[in-house]
Amino acid sequence: MDNQFLTMKKLIILLITLSFFVACKKDKKEPVVEQTETEVKKEPIKMFMFDGGTVQVNMLEIFSQDDAYKGQSKTFADAFYLIQHPDGNLLWDAGLSEDLIGKEPFTTPEGAFTVSRKTGIEEQLKSIGLSTDDVKYIALSHTHFDHSGSASKLSNAIWIVQETEYNFVTSEEQKKQSPDNFNAIKNLKALKKINGNYDVFGDGRVVILSTPGHTPGHQSLFVDLEQEGPLMLTGDMYHMEESRENSRVPIFNHDVDQTLASMEVFETFAKEKGARVIIQHSSKDYNSLNPAPEPIQ
């Protein structure tokens, strides 16, 4: 009887030991799976900055409602960007018209701007091993000529556009008044019309911010880079550092009050995210970032 009791006791101890061993192994497996899933979600994104040309502003006074810039001129950069995300590539803006390439600088009829561009999007994308067919999405801050220049080359991409901006640029009035703006986007047939802010990839790292006023459907872009940190690309929310510091609105903006309201929205969003603001027409900001083929991150 004692031997049977001892045998049973040993068996119970063995079963308890085995159960504990299996449980330990199970506990060790779960964190490994969880870590792998987290790593996939946090796969880094990259951003590249390209040269969309140069805008010489001959009449800087048009960039303020008062006479702050009367008699002044200034040279603007004209950057555009490509964001590489695990779920696809997004092109943000597209520079000046590619018809300018290989030609002398062109001065607009009213004399306000003298513009030039050296290289097109196909050549610049090639420098980072991509072609226009590799671009899944295109989003323009707005449809003015200095931001939509290469857009026609992206006919296979999905155009993410505020519905108000789409209706504006495709209106009969705009087709007559600004045919070049319409012609730049008329080949973009795959549309993703949005109304308000839009999280492009659904993970909070690339977010389009609705900032109307400069045009009816103007928008800005938030990008959260792993090394560089969060950035805010202004589009034409601001054109210069002084524009931001003094909340100056160009005389040719679609709606002054709407622009001022969007400035508040933009600044609040940037502050909440702790984002560095990149003014796209600022030569200072342009020169502070690595140009392609080097990534900003």
Side-chain angles (χ1 to χ4, degrees):
M1 189 73 173
D2 290 343
N3 288 337
Q4 287 180 343
F5 177 79
L6 290 173
T7 301
M8 184 63 71
K9 185 176 180 181
K10 288 179 182 179
L11 182 59
I12 291 170
I13 292 171
L14 179 61
L15 288 172
I16 292 171
T17 303
L18 285 172
S19 298
F20 180 77
F21 178 73
V22 170
C24 286
K25 285 189 72 178
K26 185 178 179 182
D27 289 341
K28 287 179 181 178
K29 284 182 180 179
E30 288 176 354
V32 174
V33 173
E34 185 179 340
Q35 185 179 9
T36 302
E37 290 173 353
T38 302
E39 286 173 354
V40 170
K41 289 178 183 178
K42 291 186 177 181
E43 186 177 340
I45 59 176
K46 293 181 180 179
M47 187 165 82
F48 296 87
M49 182 179 70
F50 299 109
D51 181 9
T54 301
V55 179
Q56 175 63 35
V57 182
N58 305 316
M59 300 162 57
L60 197 63
E61 58 265 28
I62 67 175
F63 285 90
S64 180
Q65 298 288 315
D66 55 26
D67 61 356
Y69 304 123
K70 189 174 182 179
Q72 297 181 36
S73 62
K74 194 178 184 72
T75 301
F76 284 176
D78 196 19
F80 66 103
Y81 305 82
L82 182 119
I83 294 91
Q84 279 191 323
H85 187 279
D87 294 335
N89 296 317
L90 166 71
L91 188 78
W92 175 257
D93 279 342
L96 287 156
S97 170
E98 295 201 9
D99 290 341
L100 295 166
I101 298 171
K103 298 178 182 178
E104 291 296 314
F106 172 77
T107 300
T108 54
E110 78 289 344
F113 305 104
T114 298
V115 294
S116 60
R117 184 168 180 175
K118 294 180 180 179
T119 53
I121 188 171
E122 290 165 321
E123 182 181 344
Q124 294 193 63
L125 286 175
K126 188 177 180 180
S127 73
I128 61 170
L130 298 178
S131 71
T132 53
D133 288 336
D134 295 315
V135 178
K136 185 175 182 179
Y137 302 106
I138 178 172
L140 305 173
S141 59
H142 61 297
T143 52
H144 282 168
F145 70 96
D146 53 329
H147 292 262
S148 60
S150 295
S152 61
K153 305 279 187 177
L154 280 295
S155 58
N156 293 327
I158 298 169
W159 181 22
I160 304 174
V161 57
Q162 299 289 335
E163 189 167 10
T164 50
E165 188 74 5
Y166 180 81
N167 293 340
F168 168 71
V169 73
T170 59
S171 67
E172 292 304 316
E173 182 181 3
Q174 278 297 301
K175 287 179 184 178
K176 293 176 182 177
Q177 290 184 358
S178 306
D180 290 341
N181 292 349
F182 172 74
N183 289 334
I185 55 84
K186 68 180 182 181
N187 289 339
L188 303 180
K189 303 298 184 183
L191 302 176
K192 173 64 178 178
K193 295 181 184 179
I194 60 175
N195 292 281
N197 298 351
Y198 181 68
D199 187 342
V200 179
F201 300 104
D203 60 8
R205 293 190 291 171
V206 183
V207 178
I208 291 172
L209 184 69
S210 176
T211 50
H214 184 64
T215 61
H218 182 277
Q219 51 193 15
S220 305
L221 188 70
F222 168 79
V223 184
D224 194 0
L225 298 174
E226 187 175 37
Q227 295 175 12
E228 186 71 22
L231 301 177
M232 289 285 289
L233 302 179
T234 60
D236 278 2
M237 182 81 271
Y238 307 110
H239 293 82
M240 300 173 281
E241 287 80 2
E242 299 94 328
S243 306
R244 185 184 180 203
E245 291 165 5
N246 299 292
S247 300
R248 290 195 175 125
V249 180
I251 62 172
F252 56 90
N253 271 30
H254 176 74
D255 188 308
V256 173
D257 290 339
Q258 200 174 44
T259 301
L260 291 171
S262 288
M263 287 178 177
E264 291 186 17
V265 169
F266 180 95
E267 293 299 338
T268 299
F269 192 94
K271 185 176 181 180
E272 288 176 352
K273 298 294 185 179
R276 175 188 172 189
V277 173
I278 302 297
I279 299 173
Q280 289 182 224
H281 280 306
S282 166
S283 295
K284 178 181 177 182
D285 283 351
Y286 179 87
N287 291 327
S288 73
L289 299 172
N290 290 332
E294 293 299 317
I296 293 174
Q297 178 177 319

